[in-house]
Amino acid sequence: MTIDVEDYFQVSAFAPFITPDSWPQRECRVEANIERILAILEQGGASATFFTLGWIAERYPAMVRRIVAAGHELASHGYAHLRASDQERAAFGDDVRRSKTILEDLAGRAVLGYRAPSFSIGAANLWALDELQAAGYRYSSSIYPISHDHYGMPQAPRFAFRPNGPDGLLEVPITTVRLLNRNLPVGGGGYFRLLPYALSRRLMRRVNRHDGQAAIFYFHPWELDTGQPRQHLAGVKTRFRHYVNIARMEGRIRALTRDFAWDRMDRIFLEKA
C-alpha cells in the first residue's frame, strides 16, 4: 500500500493553471487528509509507504513524524513535484538529494524509496535510476508498464526488476494485469475510482493468485477530499480524471484494508531482495 503525499494544487495535470509560486498562498488540505488516512490504515491493520514531497514535509514536519510514529515507511516523492522527464540529470540529482535530506532529518532514519511524480521515469531517462542509486536510495517505484497519454513504459516488466542491470537500482512497478495482449492498470489512481470496486478487487486477486505477486496500490490524499477547491480552468477531461468518484474513495480504501493484507514496500521488497 502506497500513498503519494501531495496536495490537490500540486497535481501535474493542473500545472498549466496553478504555478508553484502560488502554492504558498493556496489552502493546504494535506495534513487533515493524512490524518484520515492514518486512521483508516490503523483501523484496517494495514502498514503503508508514504512517498512524500519535500515541499510538504518542510511545512508539515509534525505530520511526517506522525507517519513514522505510526509504523509506516517514509519515502521520497521528490522536492517540488517536478517530473523526472522534464529535468536535466544534474537538476534531478539535486532534487532527489534535497528531498531525501529533508525527510531523513525529520524522521531520524534512512529514506530508501523514491517515486517520480507522474511515473516519469521511462526508456528515455533510465539514467535517473543511477542518480537515485548514487544518492543512496535502494529502490524506485517510478516506471508504470502501461500506455498512457502522460506517462508509461509498456515494454517494461510488470513486476520488480533492475532496469540498469543486476547491480542497478530495484524498480517496483505499479500493478497491472495482462489481458488481451496488453497491460491494464489495476493499482490505483483514477482507474480505481472509475472502475467498479468488485472488478478492481478481482483483478488484484488475480495478480496474487495467478502471478503469485504482491499488488502495488497507490492513491493520493486529495482523492479522499470532496471539499477541495475545484479547478474550473482545467479541461473537461482533466476535471473528470481528477474528480470522478472521489466521494466513494474512502469507502473503497476501507474495503481494500478488509479484503487484502497490506505492508510497507521496504519490508516486502528489500528484505526479499
Side-chain angles (χ1 to χ4, degrees):
M1 176 68 74
T2 68
I3 297 94
D4 292 357
V5 183
E6 62 195 60
D7 221 329
Y8 65 94
F9 52 80
Q10 295 167 318
V11 174
S12 295
F14 289 157
F17 318 102
I18 301 176
T19 57
D21 62 351
S22 73
W23 289 359
Q25 287 75 52
R26 300 274 173 177
E27 176 191 359
C28 286
R29 303 176 63 86
V30 66
E31 190 173 29
N33 290 325
I34 288 294
E35 285 300 315
R36 290 173 65 190
I37 292 168
L38 289 173
I40 292 168
L41 296 177
E42 182 179 12
Q43 292 161 13
S47 295
T49 293
F50 288 72
F51 291 99
T52 304
L53 285 181
W55 191 94
I56 291 288
E58 283 183 328
R59 285 155 179 80
Y60 299 100
M63 180 192 77
V64 171
R65 296 189 182 104
R66 273 278 290 125
I67 291 169
V68 174
H72 303 292
E73 180 190 10
L74 185 67
S76 171
H77 200 32
Y79 179 79
H81 210 256
L82 298 172
R83 297 184 193 221
S85 54
D86 290 343
Q87 299 181 74
E88 298 294 334
R89 183 165 182 164
F92 174 81
D94 290 344
D95 180 272
V96 299
R97 286 176 173 82
R98 181 183 184 186
S99 62
K100 193 173 193 293
T101 298
I102 291 168
L103 295 171
E104 289 179 340
D105 286 348
L106 290 173
R109 61 191 64 187
V111 167
L112 305 178
Y114 171 83
R115 176 171 289 156
S118 301
F119 304 105
S120 52
I121 296 178
N125 64 337
L126 290 177
W127 51 258
L129 300 178
D130 294 330
E131 286 295 319
L132 290 170
Q133 191 170 19
Y137 291 92
R138 295 269 313 277
Y139 74 90
S140 164
S141 183
S142 305
I143 295 175
Y144 208 160
I146 62 170
S147 294
H148 190 280
D149 55 346
H150 292 309
Y151 52 76
M153 184 178 169
Q155 73 274 24
R158 292 173 52 223
F159 304 113
F161 69 113
R162 297 183 186 272
N164 291 350
D167 296 324
L169 199 74
L170 181 69
E171 173 63 34
V172 186
I174 297 296
T175 291
T176 59
V177 294
R178 187 72 177 173
L179 293 172
L180 303 175
N181 203 34
R182 63 181 298 183
N183 296 339
L184 301 178
V186 296
Y191 303 103
F192 179 73
R193 288 184 279 115
L194 178 64
L195 297 173
Y197 174 75
L199 177 58
S200 294
R201 178 180 59 195
R202 179 179 178 182
L203 294 175
M204 281 189 277
R205 284 179 173 165
R206 174 187 171 95
V207 171
N208 291 159
R209 295 169 180 171
H210 180 267
D211 297 306
Q213 296 282 341
I216 312 303
F217 186 85
Y218 81 101
F219 68 102
H220 306 85
W222 53 261
E223 289 186 271
L224 281 67
D225 187 2
T226 57
Q228 64 186 277
R230 296 277 171 150
Q231 306 306 311
H232 299 291
L233 294 179
V236 173
K237 183 179 180 180
T238 296
R239 295 199 310 273
F240 176 79
R241 283 177 167 176
H242 187 88
Y243 298 116
V244 62
N245 286 337
I246 59 173
R248 300 179 180 179
M249 188 64 171
E250 180 170 340
R252 293 184 176 189
I253 297 298
R254 291 186 182 276
L256 281 178
T257 66
R258 294 192 299 266
D259 293 337
F260 298 89
W262 298 100
D263 205 354
R264 300 159 37 145
M265 295 277 279
D266 59 347
R267 282 204 288 249
I268 293 174
F269 291 98
L270 294 184
E271 291 181 10
K272 184 169 67 173

